[in-house]
Amino acid sequence: MRRISIPTGASRPGTSKRDIDTAYDGHMSLRRVASGLLGAPALAVVGCASGTTPAGPSSPAQAPTPPATTPAASEMQADAAWLDDGRLLGLVTWGSSSCVPITEAATASGQEIAVTLTDPEGQPCTKDLAPRASLVGLPEGVSPREDVTVVLTYLGETVRFQVDSDDDLTGVPGEPTDYAPSAGWFDDEKGIVLLTWGSSSCQPIVEDIDEADDAITVTFKANEGACTMDMGPRLTVLGVSGEGDDQALVLVGDNLDATLPIIG
C-alpha cells in the first residue's frame, strides 16, 4: 500500500495544506473501496456455507441437488412347515442366521392364527440373509386337516399367508407332544424344517446332505462341547434342490438316527 507522509510542524516547499488535505482524503477513499472488495469474497463464502443461493441465473453445477429417494421396502418373506403331527408349525422367515426370532404370542380365531415374533435381546446378529425357523404351537381348536391362515407380525411388518391342510395329520393342537423327531416341507419343496428333541444348548450340526430319488440323507456331526441336560425342541433348516416331493428323510449320526416322512 502506498504511504503518504505528512510532516509535522511545517509543510514541504511548494505544497499547501489544502493540497495535503485533498491527497489524504483521496487516500482514505481508496482504503474504503479496497476494504469493501476484500470483504466481498468472505461474504460469498459464508453464503455458500449457509446454503444460500446467489440471486440471478445459476449454472447446473450450482443448482441444489435433489434429495436421494429411498426405494420402497420389499414385503417380508415368510412360510411355514407342519411339525409334530400337526401340533406345531415351523414358521420360516429370512434374515440373520445367528438371530432366530422368538415367538412372543400366538392366538387363533377359527382357522386364522395371529403370530407375533420378536428378535432375541442382547444378541449380536450377523449380516447374512438365510431362512430361520421359529416354533409355534397351534392354539386349541385349530385343525391341521383344514387350511390355516397365518397373520404374522415381525419388526413392524405384517404379512398374511396360507398353510395348506394335510389329511394325514392326526395330532390335536394343545395336547402334549410325543417328543419324536418330525420334518415338514416349506418354500415349494426347496426347504425342510427338521424338529428334533434334546439339549437346548447343543443344536444339531449338519455335516452333509445327500439327495436321491427316494430319500434325503442328512449326516450330523457330534457336538463336542458341554451340553445342558434339558429336553427341548431344536429346529434345523435344511436347503435342498426342490426336485422331489415324495422322499423320506434319513437322519444319521449324533444319536439322531431315524427315517422320517416329510410332511406337506
Side-chain angles (χ1 to χ4, degrees):
M1 179 179 293
R2 184 168 62 93
R3 293 180 180 274
I4 299 178
S5 299
I6 303 177
T8 57
S11 302
R12 284 192 234 169
T15 304
S16 66
K17 184 176 183 304
R18 180 179 178 182
D19 293 336
I20 293 172
D21 291 342
T22 301
Y24 180 76
D25 291 341
H27 172 63
M28 294 303 294
S29 298
L30 286 172
R31 289 186 63 182
R32 282 192 292 270
V33 172
S35 298
L37 291 174
L38 289 172
L43 291 173
V45 171
V46 171
C48 292
S50 63
T52 304
T53 304
S58 61
S59 66
Q62 294 172 319
T65 304
T69 57
T70 303
S74 59
E75 187 178 73
M76 173 175 54
Q77 280 186 279
D79 205 346
W82 288 113
L83 298 170
D84 198 34
D85 204 18
R87 288 181 285 256
L88 301 172
L89 276 176
L91 196 54
V92 180
T93 56
W94 278 256
S96 172
S97 60
S98 65
C99 290
V100 180
I102 300 168
T103 302
E104 188 174 77
T107 59
S109 175
Q111 287 294 108
E112 182 174 288
I113 305 173
V115 180
T116 301
L117 298 182
T118 185
D119 278 341
E121 293 184 1
Q123 182 174 325
C125 301
T126 55
K127 292 187 178 296
D128 59 337
L129 183 65
R132 306 89 46 91
S134 306
L135 195 63
V136 178
L138 262 68
E140 293 184 18
V142 178
S143 172
R145 290 174 293 282
E146 297 180 23
D147 293 344
V148 173
T149 299
V150 175
V151 181
L152 170 63
T153 300
Y154 174 52
L155 297 180
E157 292 187 66
T158 300
V159 294
R160 177 190 295 263
F161 61 93
Q162 180 176 292
V163 184
D164 294 337
S165 62
D166 191 320
D167 292 335
D168 294 330
L169 298 175
T170 59
V172 178
E175 289 189 355
T177 179
D178 54 10
Y179 296 99
S182 58
W185 292 109
F186 74 93
D187 196 22
D188 296 326
E189 287 77 44
K190 298 186 190 70
I192 300 169
V193 178
L194 170 64
L195 168 65
T196 56
W197 300 86
S199 171
S200 60
S201 66
C202 289
Q203 291 291 321
I205 303 172
V206 176
E207 189 172 49
D208 183 62
I209 299 177
D210 181 59
E211 297 186 50
D213 292 338
D214 59 346
I216 298 173
T217 301
V218 183
T219 303
F220 295 93
K221 181 181 178 181
N223 273 289
E224 297 179 354
C227 299
T228 55
M229 298 298 291
D230 61 336
M231 176 70 76
R234 293 99 50 95
L235 297 185
T236 305
V237 176
L238 307 172
V240 294
S241 64
E243 296 178 357
D245 61 357
D246 193 22
Q247 298 154 298
L249 186 65
V250 180
L251 311 181
V252 178
D254 197 28
N255 297 317
L256 296 173
D257 299 73
T259 299
L260 315 172
I262 306 173
I263 305 171

